[in-house]
Amino acid sequence: MISPSTHIERKTIVVVGNGMVGHRFCENMIERDQQRRYHLVTFCEEPRAAYDRVGLSKYFIHRDVQQLMLADPEWYAQNQIELHIGDRVDRIDRFNQTVHSRLGRTLHYDLLVLATGSSPFVPPTPGVDLPGCFVYRTIEDLDGMLAWAPTARSAAVIGGGLLGLEAAKAVLDMGLESHVIEFAPRLMPRQLDERGSQILVNKIESQGTRVHLNKSTRKIVGDDRVTGMEFADGQKLDVEMVVVSAGIRPRDELARDCGLDLGPRGGVVVNDWLLTSDPQIHAIGEVALHRGMIYGLVAPGYEMADVLAANLTGDQREFHGADLSTKLKLMGVDVASFGQYEADADVAKSLTFEDPVAGVYKKLLVTSDGRHLLGGMLVGDASDFTRLLSLSRSGKPLPGRPADLLTGGSATAPAAAELADDCQICSCNNVTKGAVCQAIRGGISNLNELKKCTKAGTGCGGCVPLVLDLLNQELLTAGHVVDRSLCEHFPFSRQDLFQIAKVKRIRTFAQLLSSHGQGAGCEICKPTIASILASLWNEQILEPKHATLQDTNDRFLANIQRGGLYSVVPRVPGGEITPDKLIALGTVAKKYGLYTKITGGQRVDLFGAPVHELPSIWGDLIDAGFESGHAYGKSLRTVKSCVGTTWCRYGVGDSVGFAIRIENRYKGLRSPHKLKGAVSGCTRECAEAQSKDFGLIATERGYNLYVCGNGGTKPRHADLLVGDVDEDTCLKYIDRFLMYYVTTADRLTRTSVWLGKLDGGIEHLRKVIVHDKLGIAADLEEMMQRVVDTYACEWKEVVNDPEKRRFFQQFVNSKQTEPDIEIVSERGQSRPADWNSDSIPLTQLTLPDGSQYSPSKEEHTWVRVGKVTDFPEDGGSTIRYGYAQIAVFNFRSRGEWYATTNMCPHKREFVLSRGILGDSQGEPKVACPLHKKTFSLKTGSCLTGDTCSIATYPVKIDGDDVLLWLPPPGRLAVAPAVEQRRCEGITA
């Protein structure tokens, strides 16, 4: 902190361009320049400050600019950054060191940073300026596409690169027929080879987008609007909209006009210190040409911003180029490339793996001696990206055979300690291992604090196990005792709690919390203990004492999908189904308007079911002879089979019959993670038994039993547990194996990961399961038999129980239903059905009738919204109030009631009432069922470090009635903080 008497002459840095890279530079300068030696000025020609251009396609889903913003204007003001929105620099006067803007501003600079980025390259194709032609670059571009889409039936995207495929996904999201036009013979020609491209094409076309390769557009057809395209080969395509995404060009016109050195094909030439030919001017991002290279990815731009900020604040760093490794999800398909993924045969050898059924292609390049990994590409499954990238960057010898990198051999799972510090741990938030470890060494000692500090694990959550491994490893290295507690409410691991519940015969969460825990529980311990209790006692999970412990999938016996809708997956044991049942599935799908898809596990998925229709859908399916497929649970999903001896000339075992027997035995078993099995009728392995949690392959003398395989996010071949055993012996060993796993594995741990952490590995497991080394085989068999004997179809019990059906209704206080996506008002203004706003100041709020909202406390009233019995104990339900959906929570275990908006502020979907209740250090909270971000039920603030919040409303109980303190229905758009102040003095 500088004392008032200290005078430092501040230099002015003008940043021309306020995109993602320009904003990152400002962030780094604020963080590094603690003495405020520089005054920052930044120009932004767009009508808003920097936003996430990488996530631009999400705008088509939520239509909310605020969700894309990297910072609001208040952030710039708080950090004394002079921000000029809607203004651009038109001229640089290098002699006088001034910039001149379009709106007439003239500013002096000591240093100038060009972060003007790039503009879309629009080829000079005839007709490209017709109405209906768009580029894909800014919010305004997307708004134009959205406005045009209702007048079109189909659209074509020119360009099959990264941004082109994003644009094609946007076209699909707008409900249009989608085409991709690519001049090259393959998609993503800079990242993929021909075979990888073909796999990607197949995956994309399976989603409904047509891909046209080797196509050169001769002209875009139309008189006063786009009506089609003509290609150089004479073919035509009828479309009503065209999106051009054919590459980028650096926006170097300012540099050109003021005489800076440019590259022969554009771009401002910079050296390793990111200096231009003028020592007072730097360039970063897509406008900068470094060693002949312009980077079209945001990560190199961020690195440039980091290097420049470091140098301006006293460090000495150079930019030596950036790794072009990237991991993306394009149209729902994982695509990644890293390191050197193309090389001549005399320099490197390539290894490839392809699964055309699953749509997976992997290609790795290793040195000629096979000792080092150079790079590779991954399509359809990029789960190994972090590990492979780290291995290629480290230069270390391979830990085993090169082929193990593709097939999932035991040598492919290095410990967290072996990852390099620059290895990306969290791809959602671009967090490295070094950043995680530095935070831990700075004093963080638990996972929740680590998430808040680094953001690792706060996106999709897939990296949480690795983050936890790093935390435990660092704590052990520092000499600390590693806390294996499940969460703040239980000072025990899952394994400890399983044994406690078993020995003490505890049957409810409340009993276990009372005897061995504290607080009110949370979204971690509640589902974990619910699973333990189901594995031990197999009571119906929707009994009142268990129902609100479940994640939304188990609570509503269906997988939650986009828009808060659910999937319906009936069980089809072994994949065998009668014609009548096939007809019944089609009839139900047609009756309820559900999307249908054949799964990889030989079943039929029915997608798009609203929660209130689930009991009716299942009523029809149960009448047709179906039962729950448990596709929603951490339980047995399927036992896949080939056709075996029934039809196949090679079959030596009745794979279908045995698969049905196995699936019917273990259906409904709750476990730490989902389980899959398979039975192949011969060694040709058509059921892929060696990629399952347990799998059997028929031999001339019986079956070979394999365990702990995984065809999911971390592919691994299963290990042979025992060979040539009969069916009954197989079942005995599977009983023991599954129950040993259920008893000893940690939460959310696959069997493959469990085996990898098991002391002694497969040899130890074989001694326990086959040779009964621990003397527990009989107990394990008895536990499994109890589960088998007490099985009941969960959906049948719901369908036949009016009380259970009641909690599936959409609104407690209304039999009317609404779509879960959005509502369109009479004025044609599209708005979410939950009309609450967390960001609009009340003084700026305009109501649908055009009037300004000027609230007064007097207009609020207590509104009856239902009976106490309408709301599940320790859970929530939704009430309808005008245009709004409000979540009301009966926090029975705390003796408290809460109400909030029902809309998740991240996904803009109406699901919060289905979240799990809990507390964090005494603060009551609800976890969003979509992404597990938690919100305070008292203040509405996000407890996982995000800036968004939810509105909260006072609740009171009058006898059996539940009442909320609310304004008139049409005037419910209030900011939560303001509402909280207005309701002071009202007792909840």
Side-chain angles (χ1 to χ4, degrees):
M1 186 73 179
I2 303 174
S3 65
S5 61
T6 304
H7 176 72
I8 295 179
E9 186 177 349
R10 300 176 73 191
K11 293 184 178 180
T12 297
I13 299 178
V14 174
V15 184
V16 183
N18 187 240
M20 296 179 72
V21 173
H23 175 72
R24 173 58 71 93
F25 173 74
C26 291
E27 281 187 321
N28 288 340
M29 288 298 296
I30 293 302
E31 182 179 343
R32 289 176 171 274
D33 184 21
Q34 295 295 318
Q35 294 183 331
R36 296 294 183 263
R37 290 170 293 178
Y38 293 103
H39 171 56
L40 295 177
V41 182
T42 181
F43 283 85
C44 176
E45 68 175 310
E46 292 194 50
R48 63 190 60 82
Y51 56 89
D52 180 10
R53 205 181 301 274
V54 174
L56 204 56
S57 61
K58 297 176 184 176
Y59 184 70
F60 287 94
I61 300 173
H62 53 65
R63 316 281 176 88
D64 185 359
V65 174
Q66 292 301 316
Q67 292 197 40
L68 295 175
M69 299 303 295
L70 299 178
D72 55 30
E74 285 73 22
W75 178 86
Y76 292 88
Q78 290 168 2
N79 290 286
Q80 301 177 12
I81 300 175
E82 191 177 326
L83 171 65
H84 299 290
I85 295 178
D87 195 7
R88 58 170 288 176
V89 172
D90 276 342
R91 184 167 66 88
I92 298 171
D93 182 344
R94 291 169 55 196
F95 180 78
N96 293 305
Q97 291 187 203
T98 57
V99 295
H100 302 267
S101 81
R102 175 165 295 180
L103 297 182
R105 293 185 175 92
T106 298
L107 292 176
H108 169 79
Y109 65 83
D110 294 292
L111 295 172
L112 183 67
V113 178
L114 292 176
T116 49
S118 63
S119 59
F121 168 65
V122 180
T125 305
V128 76
D129 55 351
L130 279 169
C133 282
F134 300 89
V135 294
Y136 191 81
R137 189 67 176 171
T138 68
I139 295 290
E140 283 64 41
D141 295 330
L142 271 58
D143 283 337
M145 293 169 62
L146 287 166
W148 189 267
T151 71
R153 179 186 57 84
S154 60
V157 178
I158 300 178
L162 300 175
L163 202 58
L165 295 181
E166 287 284 341
K169 175 63 166 59
V171 167
L172 274 181
D173 286 341
M174 289 189 291
L176 303 182
E177 179 184 299
S178 175
H179 298 265
V180 173
I181 315 298
E182 172 55 48
F183 177 78
R186 62 182 190 262
L187 288 180
M188 297 181 63
R190 295 183 63 181
Q191 286 86 14
L192 299 179
D193 63 9
E194 184 174 350
R195 192 60 197 140
S197 168
Q198 188 56 53
I199 292 289
L200 182 59
V201 168
N202 294 342
K203 297 275 277 189
I204 289 175
E205 289 197 328
S206 71
Q207 300 178 29
T209 294
R210 287 285 312 281
V211 179
H212 308 264
L213 302 175
N214 288 306
K215 288 292 182 186
S216 175
T217 305
R218 185 164 61 192
K219 69 175 181 177
I220 298 172
V221 181
D223 294 326
D224 55 353
R225 59 171 290 157
V226 171
T227 58
M229 303 174 70
E230 290 185 5
F231 303 109
D233 60 8
Q235 292 186 343
K236 298 180 179 180
L237 179 65
D238 293 332
V239 293
E240 294 80 36
M241 184 164 80
V242 172
V243 182
V244 179
S245 182
I248 59 171
R249 292 290 182 270
R251 293 193 56 181
D252 55 13
E253 58 270 21
L254 275 175
R256 186 184 306 276
D257 291 344
C258 72
L260 294 178
D261 288 351
L262 304 180
R265 300 182 63 184
V268 183
V269 176
V270 296
N271 60 17
D272 291 350
W273 292 271
L274 301 168
L275 272 173
T276 69
S277 53
D278 184 323
Q280 296 342 112
I281 302 178
H282 298 77
I284 56 177
E286 293 175 344
V287 73
L289 179 70
H290 177 263
R291 298 187 184 182
M293 182 74 176
I294 288 178
Y295 295 95
L297 299 172
V298 70
Y302 279 177
E303 187 174 345
M304 291 181 184
D306 294 346
V307 169
L308 180 56
N311 287 338
L312 294 180
T313 53
D315 287 350
Q316 295 294 320
R317 287 176 57 184
E318 296 181 5
F319 180 75
H320 294 297
D323 191 343
L324 294 178
S325 302
T326 182
K327 177 186 175 186
L328 303 160
K329 187 176 285 290
L330 298 169
M331 301 187 73
V333 182
D334 284 333
V335 178
S337 61
F338 61 94
Q340 188 177 351
Y341 47 86
E342 288 185 323
D344 294 335
D346 58 342
V347 176
K349 294 180 180 179
S350 65
L351 299 88
T352 60
F353 168 84
E354 183 176 346
D355 181 351
V357 177
V360 174
Y361 173 77
K362 302 181 181 183
K363 176 182 177 182
L364 302 180
L365 262 63
V366 297
T367 53
S368 297
D369 59 8
R371 296 188 60 197
H372 297 86
L373 178 64
L374 298 176
M377 62 185 68
L378 310 168
V379 179
D381 175 15
S383 57
D384 279 339
F385 173 76
T386 298
R387 176 174 57 84
L388 295 173
L389 174 63
S390 176
L391 192 56
S392 67
R393 284 177 172 176
S394 70
K396 294 179 180 179
L398 298 182
R401 299 177 307 156
D404 287 340
L405 297 174
L406 291 174
T407 60
S410 59
T412 69
E418 298 177 33
L419 299 174
D421 280 349
D422 62 354
C423 176
Q424 187 186 64
I425 298 298
C426 175
S427 58
C428 295
N429 296 292
N430 192 27
V431 184
T432 64
K433 174 194 170 183
V436 173
C437 292
Q438 184 177 1
I440 300 167
R441 293 163 190 164
I444 287 178
S445 59
N446 66 67
L447 184 59
N448 285 336
E449 290 179 2
L450 192 57
K451 285 181 176 181
K452 286 183 180 180
C453 176
T454 66
K455 301 297 184 186
T458 60
C460 70
C463 64
V464 169
L466 185 54
V467 174
L468 187 58
D469 283 348
L470 285 173
L471 175 62
N472 291 339
Q473 167 202 301
E474 286 293 320
L475 292 176
L476 284 172
T477 301
H480 298 294
V481 176
V482 175
D483 185 2
R484 304 286 183 181
S485 300
L486 182 63
C487 64
E488 68 176 86
H489 304 100
F490 288 96
F492 304 97
S493 67
R494 179 194 177 274
Q495 298 91 322
D496 294 334
L497 290 170
F498 192 101
Q499 295 304 322
I500 290 170
K502 178 185 175 184
V503 172
K504 293 184 174 292
R505 305 190 67 79
I506 292 175
R507 290 179 173 266
T508 69
F509 176 82
Q511 287 177 325
L512 190 58
L513 186 67
S514 174
S515 61
H516 291 82
Q518 62 183 1
C522 66
E523 70 280 3
I524 295 174
C525 61
K526 284 186 173 182
T528 301
I529 292 169
S531 174
I532 290 173
L533 299 176
S535 298
L536 284 170
W537 317 120
N538 209 24
E539 294 176 343
Q540 224 278 345
I541 64 171
L542 291 192
E543 290 297 320
K545 60 186 176 183
H546 300 312
T548 53
L549 301 177
Q550 317 293 335
D551 272 319
T552 184
N553 287 359
D554 280 304
R555 182 177 170 188
F556 295 102
L557 307 180
N559 271 334
I560 194 168
Q561 310 291 341
R562 274 183 52 185
L565 302 174
Y566 289 83
S567 62
V568 173
V569 189
R571 187 170 297 284
V572 182
E576 184 178 80
I577 191 168
T578 64
D580 286 341
K581 284 191 173 182
L582 276 176
I583 292 170
L585 287 175
T587 301
V588 169
K590 191 172 183 180
K591 176 179 177 180
Y592 294 96
L594 306 176
Y595 168 80
T596 56
K597 184 182 183 298
I598 305 294
T599 74
Q602 299 175 326
R603 300 195 289 196
V604 179
D605 275 352
L606 309 176
F607 289 95
V611 68
H612 61 275
E613 289 188 347
L614 287 173
S616 298
I617 293 171
W618 272 103
D620 290 353
L621 290 171
I622 287 168
D623 287 344
F626 288 100
E627 62 180 5
S628 172
H630 291 93
Y632 48 82
K634 299 295 186 285
S635 55
L636 179 73
R637 298 293 179 86
T638 62
V639 179
K640 189 175 181 179
S641 72
C642 61
V643 295
T645 52
T646 307
W647 297 101
C648 180
R649 68 184 186 275
Y650 299 111
V652 295
D654 180 13
S655 56
V656 178
F658 196 21
I660 293 172
R661 184 183 177 191
I662 292 172
E663 188 162 343
N664 282 328
R665 179 168 181 80
Y666 302 119
K667 60 189 178 185
L669 170 69
R670 255 39 188 213
S671 51
H673 211 293
K674 62 185 177 183
L675 294 166
K676 294 183 180 181
V679 184
S680 286
C682 72
T683 55
R684 283 171 175 79
E685 247 286 66
C686 294
E688 301 165 331
Q690 292 181 80
S691 64
K692 300 295 188 289
D693 295 284
F694 61 92
L696 298 117
I697 301 176
T699 70
E700 296 291 346
R701 295 182 295 276
Y703 287 92
N704 289 342
L705 173 58
Y706 293 83
V707 295
C708 300
N710 182 7
T713 56
K714 296 286 184 184
R716 182 188 187 278
H717 278 188
D719 290 309
L720 179 66
L721 183 67
V722 64
D724 297 328
V725 292
D726 59 39
E727 289 189 5
D728 288 342
T729 304
C730 280
L731 291 179
K732 178 174 68 174
Y733 290 155
I734 297 173
D735 282 359
R736 298 175 182 178
F737 162 70
L738 290 178
M739 268 305 169
Y740 189 51
Y741 161 65
V742 168
T743 304
T744 61
D746 203 356
R747 60 183 290 268
L748 303 180
T749 300
R750 297 294 298 264
T751 57
S752 55
V753 178
W754 169 69
L755 180 64
K757 295 182 178 181
L758 204 61
D759 288 342
I762 188 63
E763 289 302 323
H764 168 77
L765 189 61
R766 185 177 294 113
K767 291 175 182 176
V768 172
I769 302 306
V770 179
H771 305 298
D772 195 15
K773 171 187 175 182
L774 302 180
I776 60 173
D779 292 331
L780 297 175
E781 292 173 25
E782 181 184 351
M783 291 171 64
M784 180 60 76
Q785 193 60 49
R786 183 188 301 118
V787 172
V788 173
D789 292 341
T790 55
Y791 170 79
C793 174
E794 293 162 349
W795 263 116
K796 187 175 182 179
E797 294 197 12
V798 170
V799 168
N800 295 330
D801 187 337
E803 278 301 303
K804 290 188 174 70
R805 291 185 70 138
R806 190 163 61 91
F807 285 109
F808 284 81
Q809 65 192 66
Q810 188 175 17
F811 301 119
V812 162
N813 62 338
S814 174
K815 292 184 178 180
Q816 293 180 319
T817 60
E818 288 180 356
D820 281 333
I821 307 300
E822 63 180 17
I823 287 176
V824 179
S825 71
E826 293 179 1
R827 300 177 62 201
Q829 299 273 329
S830 176
R831 69 172 183 272
D834 185 350
W835 194 41
N836 297 312
S837 167
D838 294 343
S839 58
I840 303 174
L842 292 176
T843 55
Q844 301 175 15
L845 186 62
T846 302
L847 297 171
D849 61 6
S851 64
Q852 291 296 120
Y853 182 30
S854 179
S856 65
K857 185 173 181 179
E858 287 70 26
E859 67 184 16
H860 282 62
T861 58
W862 285 109
V863 179
R864 181 190 177 281
V865 297
K867 296 287 187 183
V868 169
T869 53
D870 290 330
F871 302 92
E873 295 180 4
D874 288 320
S877 290
T878 309
I879 65 106
R880 178 177 179 172
Y881 187 66
Y883 285 119
Q885 294 186 23
I886 300 177
V888 180
F889 300 100
N890 175 6
F891 212 149
R892 171 75 179 274
S893 59
R894 287 173 59 108
E896 298 166 352
W897 287 77
Y898 297 97
T900 74
T901 175
N902 194 37
M903 178 188 281
C904 160
H906 293 85
K907 299 294 185 180
R908 312 293 287 182
E909 292 169 359
F910 307 104
V911 295
L912 285 185
S913 67
R914 308 173 205 170
I916 294 178
L917 298 185
D919 65 1
S920 177
Q921 298 179 347
E923 182 79 4
K925 64 178 182 176
V926 61
C928 174
L930 290 176
H931 47 59
K932 303 300 185 292
K933 293 185 187 296
T934 56
F935 300 90
S936 167
L937 291 171
K938 287 184 176 179
T939 67
S941 60
C942 184
L943 301 178
T944 49
D946 295 76
T947 57
C948 60
S949 61
I950 58 176
T952 61
Y953 310 102
V955 188
K956 77 173 182 179
I957 306 302
D958 183 9
D960 292 333
D961 291 332
V962 180
L963 297 93
L964 303 188
W965 180 252
L966 298 170
R971 297 176 179 263
L972 194 59
V974 292
V978 177
E979 178 68 1
Q980 195 73 26
R981 287 195 298 271
R982 289 174 53 214
C983 296
E984 286 178 358
I986 299 174
T987 304

